[in-house]
Amino acid sequence: MLGENPLFLLTYLLRLLRLAALLAVWRAVFAARGQAGGLDVEQVLTYTLLAGILAEPLNCRTGLDRSLWEGAIVTRMLQPIGLVASFVSEMAGRWVVGFAFCSLPMLLLAPWLGVDPWPASGAAAAWFGLSLALAVVVGVALDFLYGAAIAVLKTDIWMLDGMRSAVALLLSGAVVPLALMPWGMGRWMQWLPFGALASAPLQIYTGAGDAPTLLALQAFWATALCLFGRRVWRVTRERMVSYGG
Amino acid sequence: MAARLLRLWALYAYLDGMWIARDFRSFIFYYLADAVTAVASVAGVLLLAQRFDGIPPWTRDQVLFLLGFGMVARFVPDMMGNYNVLHISRRIGRGQLDHILVQPQPVWMALLTEGFAPFWGLLSLAPGVGLMVWAGQRMGLEATPSWLLAFALNLAGASAALMAYAALWGFAAFFQPRAAEEISGSAVDLLTDLKGFPLDALGPGLRTALLTVIPAGLMAWYPCRALLGLDHGIAALWVTPAAAVALCCAACLMFRMGMRRYAQVGSSRYTSFGHRR
Amino acid sequence: MHRSDRADIPASGIVVECRAVCKTFRQRQPSERPRDVLRNLLHPRFRTVEALRDVSFTVNRGEVVAYAGPNGAGKSTTIKLLSGMLAPTSGSVRVLGIDPVAERTRYVGRIGVVFGQRTELWWDHPVAASYEWKRVVWDIPRERFERMCGVAREILGVGETWNTLARELSLGQRMRADLGMAMLHEPEILFLDEPTLGLDVLAKRSMTRLVRQLSATGSVTVMVTSHDMNELEQLAGRVIFIESGSLAYDGDFAGLRREFGDLRRLVLETDDATAPTLPGAELVGSQGMRHEYRLRGAGADVAALSAGAGEQCRVLDVETHRAPIDEVIAGIYEHWGRQRPTGTA
Ligand SMILES: Nc1ncnc2c1ncn2[C@@H]1O[C@H](COP(=O)(O)OP(=O)(O)O)[C@@H](O)[C@H]1O
Ligand SMILES: [Mg+2]
């Protein structure tokens, strides 16, 4: 994969540039004020940097939709390991590449970008680990629900893909922290499952939120979505097998 | 020649219209997905501008204008670039250029007309234009004839820069068909994903890079600075159109080199994926 | 077929002329080892493939020529050279007196090209819309367009799929629609590259019949490639056979048989399940009491052979028939294999 096509590096360059642009915007915004929405500029910059570094785990994509679209799902179902495990392990494999070629360079560039990459405290770091794990569980569950939806709709996934990414990114608070949304939107957005994807772990990391509350909310969404996902999956499973194949 | 171009555009408009008439539901569905994506991808900056009443040195309305400009700058490339014309590396990499070579017309003419789908494009124009008009009115922007001329030139420049940049990378597939098959997709993303950011607070090095090697700054940020008077001086108004001309020349050069090479090496692979659909 | 508007074109004479054509390609040879990733990027290794070497032939107006050879022999490369998609490495290609690459736009308006498994139809549109598209892009006069649409609808049976979306056509229907579309501008030469590839037996047969019908009108020169010799023999009187890029034979099919051995078959029906051994004939196989032999050369005496068999068992029936042309070709391949052990690409 690496030797064949170095194009993925361009995608990583884009991520880096987008991070730099976003950081610049935050600096410009905070230049005139010390604090906003309970966050200071240092926190927001760390928040943004971490959202960039952990872009993949904070917005899980397993490749289920592609697999459904191309009909390759059938071969997956014949594999001895479970469907979820199969997709998750593949996703983790991709993360390793992304981590080596993108996340690590971003982390190393942090001083040059003028951002402090460290967590607010040791306790915050510990809670963050747990929160990140829950975020991945919620992300995978949402991805499978999305897969079930496109299996039912039988629609062109390329069109939906962009929409889904953009909307999820926005609602999860990965671009703009929910506390900094206008019109107090963030107050009700934090109760959506998307908030469990990025907003919760990043708030914990930067010490901007109350860890136990956020973790409890994440745990609730993880349980609820997993149960719901299993049900939906069982109902649509037959349909998925025939889909695209 | 102009008559032929018009005739071909009419033909593709007709095909586009027929497609929509035949499958109106899919059209609405795709269109909504497209619109949501377009709005969501600039929503971050939009929400920030609202919350903090602008992103210094831009006022809120100026940011809205910038976002609208960026959305509209995508309109022409999207309208002209269907059937992977904008993503030409896919066509070249998949060996689909042969389909153009059997047509009794120059390749550039085929490329200039084949991707034309006006009905698709037309609707995505609305939110961008709306944003610009609304922001312009609130700012009390004076649309004098000379300003409108400058506006049109810069908008055309931004669109042309995007197309030329995509083509420049896309023609890389002449030389490395397999490796570069998806390259114009990445190139387009580089420009359009960054188009909504006010880049003023970036360091000078990055800012220069974003105006030259990765000219994302030309998509909206630089032309809007000039148009809204954040940059003083007439010269700034000419930068985007001039850069677009330079990029177009480079793309033409690359195209000629690529075509000459294609006659020698042809394409050993062929997949029909994405062809005329 | 009316050709009043093409009165300036002579009815006979050479239309295709290949002289000493060579075409070489460089193919990347990436190493699979992970530690060679960087070397593959910076210093890729290449191997040179001679797709065509010193190929010369001419085709006359109105001829139907079969262009045969095994996979990878250089058939598609030849078609691409003849249709202006590729320039030869050396040698000259002239069709209708034109250099196909140098004057491509003028040239391709006078030829038609169909690649099997590549379609010119618009996926999400009915066949009729694709035809309309072709009319505008090729600038086809109304009268000719209507007339050729008629040909496509009646002879090729495109009428029944006229309003069907291309994506809903079967492969056979799609190939017929593609063939009809290639004929719309009334090309003087039709290049068909493996037009029956992937078709089932019935669709193949109808395709062959259609090409024969088109060529029977006498106004169009046809060059059709295939690796299926039996099919080509039904289509064309003349066969050009290439192997590993070199022209191996150019003539009629009877000559091909003569040149590479007339492989006749002898079938004996006896009262014994063990086949009698016959000098001068080689046992191919037995089915119960039917035994099939391969005869080498025209000199084998069938009467003497069956008499010889009669001494070993009771002969109930004797029949002879010609080997299918594919077997002739298998013989040719063997022949080549022996001459050039490393020959096939
Ligand atoms: N564009 C190309 N680049 C590199 N090699 C090619 C190219 N086209 C064909 N070849 C090689 O040339 C040889 C002949 O190919 P082709 O003409 O397609 O054979 P055929 O059509 O008879 O099966 C093959 O070995 C093939 O791999
Ligand atoms: Mg071939």
Side-chain angles (χ1 to χ4, degrees), chain C residues 1-5 135 140-150 184 186:
Chain C
M1 216 175 274
H2 305 283
R3 288 201 153 259
S4 47
D5 50 333
R135 184 184 71 77
I140 305 171
R142 271 281 172 205
E143 177 276 327
R144 184 187 294 170
F145 179 71
E146 301 295 345
R147 181 159 45 78
M148 294 313 287
C149 278
L184 281 181
E186 254 193 318

Short mmCIF file of all heavy atoms in Angstrom, two decimals, chain C residues 1-5 135 140-150 184 186:
data_model
loop_
_atom_site.label_atom_id
_atom_site.label_comp_id
_atom_site.label_asym_id
_atom_site.label_seq_id
_atom_site.Cartn_x
_atom_site.Cartn_y
_atom_site.Cartn_z
N MET C 1 -27.10 0.53 -50.18
CA MET C 1 -26.77 1.70 -49.35
C MET C 1 -26.32 2.86 -50.24
O MET C 1 -25.46 2.70 -51.08
CB MET C 1 -25.65 1.30 -48.39
CG MET C 1 -25.79 1.95 -47.06
SD MET C 1 -24.52 1.31 -45.95
CE MET C 1 -25.32 -0.14 -45.30
N HIS C 2 -26.89 4.00 -50.01
CA HIS C 2 -26.51 5.16 -50.83
C HIS C 2 -25.20 5.73 -50.34
O HIS C 2 -24.98 5.82 -49.16
CB HIS C 2 -27.56 6.27 -50.73
CG HIS C 2 -28.91 5.78 -51.09
ND1 HIS C 2 -29.30 5.57 -52.37
CD2 HIS C 2 -29.95 5.42 -50.31
CE1 HIS C 2 -30.55 5.12 -52.38
NE2 HIS C 2 -30.95 5.02 -51.13
N ARG C 3 -24.39 6.10 -51.28
CA ARG C 3 -23.15 6.74 -50.86
C ARG C 3 -22.88 7.94 -51.75
O ARG C 3 -21.76 8.23 -52.09
CB ARG C 3 -21.99 5.77 -50.95
CG ARG C 3 -22.06 4.74 -49.87
CD ARG C 3 -20.71 4.12 -49.64
NE ARG C 3 -20.65 3.65 -48.28
CZ ARG C 3 -20.04 4.33 -47.32
NH1 ARG C 3 -19.45 5.47 -47.58
NH2 ARG C 3 -20.01 3.86 -46.11
N SER C 4 -23.98 8.58 -52.12
CA SER C 4 -23.84 9.67 -53.08
C SER C 4 -22.90 10.76 -52.58
O SER C 4 -22.15 11.35 -53.34
CB SER C 4 -25.21 10.28 -53.37
OG SER C 4 -25.87 10.50 -52.15
N ASP C 5 -22.93 10.95 -51.25
CA ASP C 5 -22.10 12.02 -50.71
C ASP C 5 -20.64 11.62 -50.57
O ASP C 5 -19.82 12.39 -50.13
CB ASP C 5 -22.64 12.46 -49.35
CG ASP C 5 -22.87 11.27 -48.44
OD1 ASP C 5 -23.10 10.17 -48.97
OD2 ASP C 5 -22.80 11.44 -47.22
N ARG C 135 -24.71 11.93 -32.78
CA ARG C 135 -25.06 12.74 -33.95
C ARG C 135 -24.46 14.14 -33.83
O ARG C 135 -23.86 14.65 -34.77
CB ARG C 135 -26.57 12.86 -34.10
CG ARG C 135 -27.00 13.61 -35.35
CD ARG C 135 -28.50 13.80 -35.41
NE ARG C 135 -29.00 14.76 -34.42
CZ ARG C 135 -28.90 16.08 -34.54
NH1 ARG C 135 -28.34 16.60 -35.61
NH2 ARG C 135 -29.36 16.87 -33.60
N ILE C 140 -23.19 14.53 -37.67
CA ILE C 140 -23.72 13.66 -38.72
C ILE C 140 -24.92 14.33 -39.37
O ILE C 140 -25.84 14.78 -38.66
CB ILE C 140 -24.15 12.29 -38.13
CG1 ILE C 140 -22.98 11.67 -37.37
CG2 ILE C 140 -24.65 11.35 -39.21
CD1 ILE C 140 -23.33 10.44 -36.57
N PRO C 141 -24.95 14.41 -40.70
CA PRO C 141 -26.12 15.01 -41.36
C PRO C 141 -27.38 14.21 -41.04
O PRO C 141 -27.34 12.99 -40.89
CB PRO C 141 -25.79 14.88 -42.85
CG PRO C 141 -24.34 14.61 -42.92
CD PRO C 141 -23.93 13.99 -41.63
N ARG C 142 -28.50 14.93 -40.92
CA ARG C 142 -29.79 14.32 -40.55
C ARG C 142 -30.13 13.08 -41.37
O ARG C 142 -30.49 12.04 -40.82
CB ARG C 142 -30.91 15.33 -40.75
CG ARG C 142 -31.18 16.16 -39.55
CD ARG C 142 -31.99 15.41 -38.51
NE ARG C 142 -32.03 16.26 -37.32
CZ ARG C 142 -32.20 15.82 -36.09
NH1 ARG C 142 -32.36 14.54 -35.87
NH2 ARG C 142 -32.21 16.65 -35.09
N GLU C 143 -30.01 13.26 -42.68
CA GLU C 143 -30.46 12.19 -43.57
C GLU C 143 -29.68 10.91 -43.29
O GLU C 143 -30.24 9.84 -43.13
CB GLU C 143 -30.28 12.64 -45.03
CG GLU C 143 -30.65 11.59 -46.08
CD GLU C 143 -29.50 10.62 -46.36
OE1 GLU C 143 -28.31 11.02 -46.30
OE2 GLU C 143 -29.81 9.44 -46.63
N ARG C 144 -28.36 11.04 -43.15
CA ARG C 144 -27.54 9.86 -42.90
C ARG C 144 -27.86 9.27 -41.52
O ARG C 144 -27.94 8.06 -41.36
CB ARG C 144 -26.06 10.24 -42.98
CG ARG C 144 -25.15 9.04 -42.82
CD ARG C 144 -23.71 9.43 -42.73
NE ARG C 144 -23.23 10.01 -43.98
CZ ARG C 144 -22.05 10.60 -44.10
NH1 ARG C 144 -21.26 10.71 -43.05
NH2 ARG C 144 -21.68 11.12 -45.24
N PHE C 145 -28.07 10.17 -40.57
CA PHE C 145 -28.36 9.70 -39.21
C PHE C 145 -29.62 8.86 -39.19
O PHE C 145 -29.65 7.75 -38.66
CB PHE C 145 -28.50 10.92 -38.29
CG PHE C 145 -28.82 10.57 -36.86
CD1 PHE C 145 -27.86 9.98 -36.05
CD2 PHE C 145 -30.08 10.84 -36.33
CE1 PHE C 145 -28.14 9.67 -34.73
CE2 PHE C 145 -30.36 10.53 -35.01
CZ PHE C 145 -29.40 9.94 -34.21
N GLU C 146 -30.69 9.39 -39.83
CA GLU C 146 -31.95 8.64 -39.85
C GLU C 146 -31.77 7.28 -40.52
O GLU C 146 -32.24 6.25 -40.05
CB GLU C 146 -33.04 9.43 -40.59
CG GLU C 146 -33.34 10.80 -39.99
CD GLU C 146 -33.94 10.72 -38.60
OE1 GLU C 146 -34.38 9.62 -38.21
OE2 GLU C 146 -33.94 11.76 -37.89
N ARG C 147 -31.06 7.31 -41.63
CA ARG C 147 -30.88 6.07 -42.39
C ARG C 147 -30.09 5.04 -41.57
O ARG C 147 -30.47 3.87 -41.49
CB ARG C 147 -30.13 6.41 -43.69
CG ARG C 147 -29.87 5.24 -44.60
CD ARG C 147 -29.62 5.71 -46.03
NE ARG C 147 -28.72 6.85 -46.12
CZ ARG C 147 -27.39 6.76 -46.01
NH1 ARG C 147 -26.84 5.58 -45.83
NH2 ARG C 147 -26.63 7.83 -46.08
N MET C 148 -29.01 5.50 -40.92
CA MET C 148 -28.20 4.55 -40.17
C MET C 148 -28.90 4.10 -38.88
O MET C 148 -28.68 2.99 -38.42
CB MET C 148 -26.82 5.15 -39.87
CG MET C 148 -25.97 5.40 -41.09
SD MET C 148 -25.90 4.03 -42.25
CE MET C 148 -24.85 2.88 -41.35
N CYS C 149 -29.72 4.97 -38.30
CA CYS C 149 -30.54 4.53 -37.17
C CYS C 149 -31.44 3.39 -37.63
O CYS C 149 -31.64 2.41 -36.91
CB CYS C 149 -31.38 5.68 -36.63
SG CYS C 149 -30.49 6.75 -35.51
N GLY C 150 -31.98 3.55 -38.84
CA GLY C 150 -32.82 2.50 -39.40
C GLY C 150 -32.05 1.19 -39.51
O GLY C 150 -32.53 0.12 -39.12
N LEU C 184 -23.11 4.75 -37.08
CA LEU C 184 -24.01 5.88 -37.34
C LEU C 184 -23.46 6.89 -38.34
O LEU C 184 -24.20 7.44 -39.14
CB LEU C 184 -24.34 6.62 -36.03
CG LEU C 184 -25.39 5.99 -35.13
CD1 LEU C 184 -25.60 6.86 -33.92
CD2 LEU C 184 -26.69 5.81 -35.90
N GLU C 186 -21.58 6.26 -40.71
CA GLU C 186 -21.22 5.52 -41.91
C GLU C 186 -19.73 5.47 -42.12
O GLU C 186 -19.20 6.00 -43.12
CB GLU C 186 -21.90 6.14 -43.13
CG GLU C 186 -23.05 5.30 -43.63
CD GLU C 186 -23.51 5.73 -45.00
OE1 GLU C 186 -23.58 6.94 -45.23
OE2 GLU C 186 -23.77 4.85 -45.82
#
